[in-house]
Amino acid sequence: MLRATYIRGPTIFRSLFVLPSLRFPPLRNMSHRPIQTLLNANEEWAQSVVKDTPDFFARSATCQNPKILWIGCSDSRVPESIITASKPGDIFVHRNVANQFHLHDDSALSVLSFAVKEIGVEHVVLVGHTNCGGAMACIEAAKVAATNPSTSTPLTRWLSPLTALVRSLDLSACSANEALNKVVEANIIKQVDNICKSEPITTAWADPLAKKVTVHGWMYDLAEGRIKELVVRDSQA
Amino acid sequence: MSHESMQTLLNANEEWAQNVIKGTPDFFTQSATGQSPKILWIGCSDSRVPESVITASKPGDIFVHRNIANQFHLNDDSALSVLTYAVKVVGIEHVVLVGHTNCGGAAACLKAAEDAAADTGAPQPDTPLTRWLSPLIALVQSLDLSACSASEALDKVVQTNIITQVDNICNSEPITTAWADPNAKKVTVHGWVYDLARGRIDELVFREAQA
């Protein structure tokens, strides 16, 4: 089983994968096993942190001061702190299906407000990723006629702006793979646009005394493990 | 200077990716083919509670939704769509709702409730953040915190919040449907509290289908 281990010194919180061989857990009816594994791993992690930095938790409990807000996908393969080797306290995080930022969504808007106005983040990164299941679902949904609103579910409502975005793209000359990449990229740009139009950002950018906030659109390539910056937006100062 | 922290992050990502490939050359190519996490984590956006770091988990282990004060509102499409997708498409087996000590959202609600009680005059402005926190403010107002110190009150709010959100999750369509269907995959809902000062997770409650 892959384990994240920590090395000493300044890189104490770097997660490395130390893997002699890949072993899969046996199929057994131990339904709480993943939970117990997680709790055991937490205990072990906490002990190793205390051993190397005895006052880490005591200091961490008093306040947080992250400079970055990450708005990303719920996809299990994109845990922001692992893929950026960040430690607790570094990144304020909002994750949802297909890394959306809808201008009518109180969940995302409250995170952005809190992050900009209370926490004082300096960078907002909107992060999409290749092979996004949400994007794939929207490509399929766009192929059929728009559904009757009375049959809408939270998931179909959630994905309807992205489905509309898919319909607006010309994917006729694209292979399935190219189409998915095009949708993932267009989605990132679109959500960055939405963030830039939101009240917390427009207010910060209009106020010469406000802390500087930059908005970034990033793409995480699952097959390579690398992040690529697609766009950056600053206030027009 | 302000982009320095971004470059640091991107450099760290590059280094991390190289180390992973060195240890497990096919990790990323395998990962790209699909995900099958068994756990959905619904937690707070607080930077001090990164689920995968504090549980030493790897990419692919945990499906994640994080928002202010780890809320699960039954009228919130964001949380409902995550839960629906996690249960019905991804096939997770455990939902963990994770709150934490020293929660800024909980502290803000305590303050808002105190202000309302003191009737300081100005009504709450209607903003996304005040709307988002209004159920938690109502929860605070329903508690008897008169005998509590400030820190006891915050702990009590954090714990009660966790139990309430677990209740909400258990009342949601994806869970009630899964629990009513004898052929559906088993899903357990857990309420956890992460103690920032100790770095430890404690389980407060868990709920299963009444079989």
Side-chain angles (χ1 to χ4, degrees):
Chain A
M1 187 169 135
L2 286 176
R3 302 284 292 278
T5 61
Y6 298 93
I7 59 176
R8 293 180 165 271
T11 53
I12 179 62
F13 286 105
R14 293 287 167 83
S15 316
L16 302 178
F17 296 112
V18 176
L19 175 72
S21 63
L22 197 63
R23 289 191 303 275
F24 293 99
L27 295 171
R28 262 184 273 172
N29 184 21
M30 292 176 62
S31 59
H32 282 233
R33 196 170 139 152
I35 291 295
Q36 204 47 58
T37 303
L38 226 61
L39 293 170
N40 293 344
N42 163 251
E43 177 60 40
E44 210 178 300
W45 171 80
Q47 283 180 16
S48 71
V49 170
V50 167
K51 218 187 327 177
D52 284 286
T53 320
D55 65 343
F56 178 81
F57 292 124
R59 278 187 295 116
S60 167
T62 57
C63 68
Q64 59 171 329
N65 191 23
K67 295 286 168 259
I68 293 161
L69 163 62
W70 174 290
I71 299 174
C73 189
S74 292
D75 195 302
S76 61
R77 299 165 291 180
V78 198
E80 79 300 324
S81 298
I82 300 294
I83 71 177
T84 59
S86 294
K87 53 189 197 304
D90 284 349
I91 312 178
F92 201 73
V93 175
H94 184 56
R95 288 169 68 182
N96 60 39
V97 174
N99 40 279
Q100 299 293 287
F101 193 94
H102 301 155
L103 287 161
H104 57 261
D105 173 29
D106 280 352
S107 185
L109 281 163
S110 57
V111 171
L112 184 61
S113 295
F114 197 86
V116 172
K117 302 180 192 202
E118 302 294 330
I119 305 281
V121 298
E122 294 165 8
H123 298 274
V124 179
V125 296
L126 185 292
V127 190
H129 67 95
T130 57
N131 298 85
C132 181
M136 285 189 241
C138 292
I139 290 174
E140 288 314 304
K143 290 176 183 165
V144 302
T147 48
N148 186 338
S150 70
T151 60
S152 77
T153 64
L155 187 55
T156 59
R157 278 194 301 271
W158 183 254
L159 291 177
S160 74
L162 184 51
T163 306
L165 180 63
V166 171
R167 287 201 181 97
S168 76
L169 299 172
D170 180 9
L171 305 171
S172 52
C174 298
S175 68
N177 233 27
E178 286 165 351
L180 183 52
N181 283 337
K182 198 165 171 178
V183 170
V184 167
E185 285 204 18
N187 180 38
I188 290 167
I189 313 279
K190 177 76 179 158
Q191 304 315 316
V192 166
D193 284 346
N194 288 347
I195 290 166
C196 296
K197 289 184 185 138
S198 71
E199 184 275 330
I201 298 299
T202 53
T203 300
W205 285 355
D207 179 0
L209 299 175
K211 200 171 192 181
K212 180 174 159 136
V213 181
T214 308
V215 183
H216 309 250
W218 284 0
M219 161 87 82
Y220 177 63
D221 187 327
L222 282 181
E224 292 182 0
R226 263 86 166 190
I227 296 167
K228 197 174 59 166
E229 180 155 274
L230 298 185
V231 289
V232 185
R233 305 268 169 82
D234 275 319
S235 63
Q236 303 303 316
Chain B
M1 208 49 180
S2 67
H3 284 236
E4 197 180 87
S5 50
M6 303 320 286
Q7 203 47 56
T8 305
L9 223 62
L10 292 169
N11 292 344
N13 163 251
E14 177 60 41
E15 206 180 307
W16 170 79
Q18 284 179 12
N19 283 327
V20 170
I21 289 170
K22 228 190 311 186
T24 319
D26 64 347
F27 180 83
F28 292 123
T29 47
Q30 278 214 359
S31 172
T33 61
Q35 58 170 334
S36 65
K38 295 289 168 261
I39 293 162
L40 164 62
W41 174 291
I42 299 174
C44 188
S45 293
D46 195 301
S47 62
R48 298 164 293 181
V49 199
E51 79 299 324
S52 298
V53 174
I54 72 176
T55 60
S57 294
K58 58 190 194 301
D61 283 349
I62 313 178
F63 201 75
V64 176
H65 184 56
R66 288 169 68 183
N67 60 37
I68 301 289
N70 41 277
Q71 299 294 285
F72 193 94
H73 302 155
L74 287 162
N75 57 16
D76 173 28
D77 279 352
S78 186
L80 280 162
S81 56
V82 171
L83 184 62
T84 303
Y85 195 86
V87 173
K88 301 186 189 194
V89 181
V90 178
I92 55 100
E93 295 165 9
H94 298 272
V95 181
V96 297
L97 185 292
V98 190
H100 68 96
T101 56
N102 297 83
C103 180
C109 292
L110 264 165
K111 172 117 197 347
E114 279 162 21
D115 288 350
D119 190 25
T120 47
Q124 277 252 331
D126 181 39
T127 66
L129 187 54
T130 58
R131 278 196 300 270
W132 183 255
L133 292 177
S134 70
L136 186 49
I137 296 172
L139 181 62
V140 170
Q141 288 167 329
S142 76
L143 299 174
D144 179 11
L145 304 170
S146 52
C148 299
S149 69
S151 79
E152 284 166 350
L154 185 51
D155 283 344
K156 196 164 172 180
V157 170
V158 165
Q159 292 210 9
T160 314
N161 180 37
I162 291 166
I163 313 278
T164 301
Q165 304 316 316
V166 166
D167 284 344
N168 288 348
I169 290 166
C170 296
N171 284 328
S172 72
E173 186 274 331
I175 298 299
T176 53
T177 300
W179 284 356
D181 179 0
N183 295 323
K185 202 171 189 181
K186 179 174 160 145
V187 182
T188 309
V189 183
H190 308 252
W192 286 357
V193 63
Y194 176 63
D195 184 345
L196 283 178
R198 287 164 48 230
R200 261 82 163 191
I201 297 167
D202 291 312
E203 180 155 277
L204 297 185
V205 287
F206 77 88
R207 306 266 169 81
E208 281 168 332
Q210 302 304 315

